[in-house]
Every structure is written in structure tokens, then in C-alpha cells.
Amino acid sequence: TALIGCGDEGGVLVGDHNPEYNKIVAVCDIRPSNLDRIFDGDTGPRKGLKKVYGDKEAAAIKRFGSVDELLAKKDELGLEAVIIATPL
């Protein structure tokens, strides 16, 4: 699975999924600060990928600055699904 949108809602959804059944292999956001934040998390329900997966496994998650870049690598990543957490 890839996560598109790493802001507030994306951060909440990372903590709400079960990593045993839905493994995030890539994240995508146009804001570099959101790409950092999705890994580190912050207060409240936004745990961050490092806390969900551990530092070593989280380091293997690929980062993308655009949906086009992400989709160009979909086969390489083995994507089967995306979580879309962008603003309305």
C-alpha cells in the first residue's frame, strides 16, 4: 500500500491501520515537511511510521514528492492499493 497525503489525516490513518494486513511501502506528499512528519509522528493519534514499523523497517519506505513519480514505480513497489488522505 502507498499513502498519498502525509498531513494531519494521513498521520491519523497510519496509526489506525493494522501493519500485519496492510503494509505501507511508499508515501507521497508535495510538502517535504509532511514527508518527515509522517515518519516521526507527533502528539495525539499521529504515531508516525517509525513507531508503527520500527526504525529499520520504516527506513525502507520510499518517499515521493508527486503522485506521478509514485505511480511510475508502482510495479517496482508491488502496489496493490493506495490510501488517499489529501484535503477535500
Side-chain angles (χ1 to χ4, degrees):
T1 301
L3 172 66
I4 300 172
C6 300
D8 289 335
E9 189 61 29
V12 171
L13 293 174
V14 162
D16 284 344
H17 85 282
N18 184 336
E20 292 181 34
Y21 300 102
N22 183 25
K23 184 177 179 182
I24 294 176
V25 298
V27 294
C28 177
D29 200 290
I30 61 172
R31 293 180 182 91
S33 61
N34 281 350
L35 288 172
D36 292 335
R37 183 175 158 205
I38 199 71
F39 283 88
D40 296 331
D42 58 29
T43 60
R46 294 171 191 88
K47 298 176 183 177
L49 292 166
K50 290 178 183 176
K51 185 171 184 179
V52 172
Y53 289 107
D55 289 342
K56 183 178 179 183
E57 195 169 343
I61 297 171
K62 306 293 185 210
R63 298 174 183 224
F64 295 92
S66 77
V67 173
D68 290 336
E69 291 173 12
L70 169 67
L71 294 179
K73 299 283 186 176
K74 66 181 174 35
D75 294 332
E76 179 182 319
L77 294 166
L79 286 185
E80 296 179 8
V82 295
I83 299 167
I84 301 173
T86 58
L88 300 174

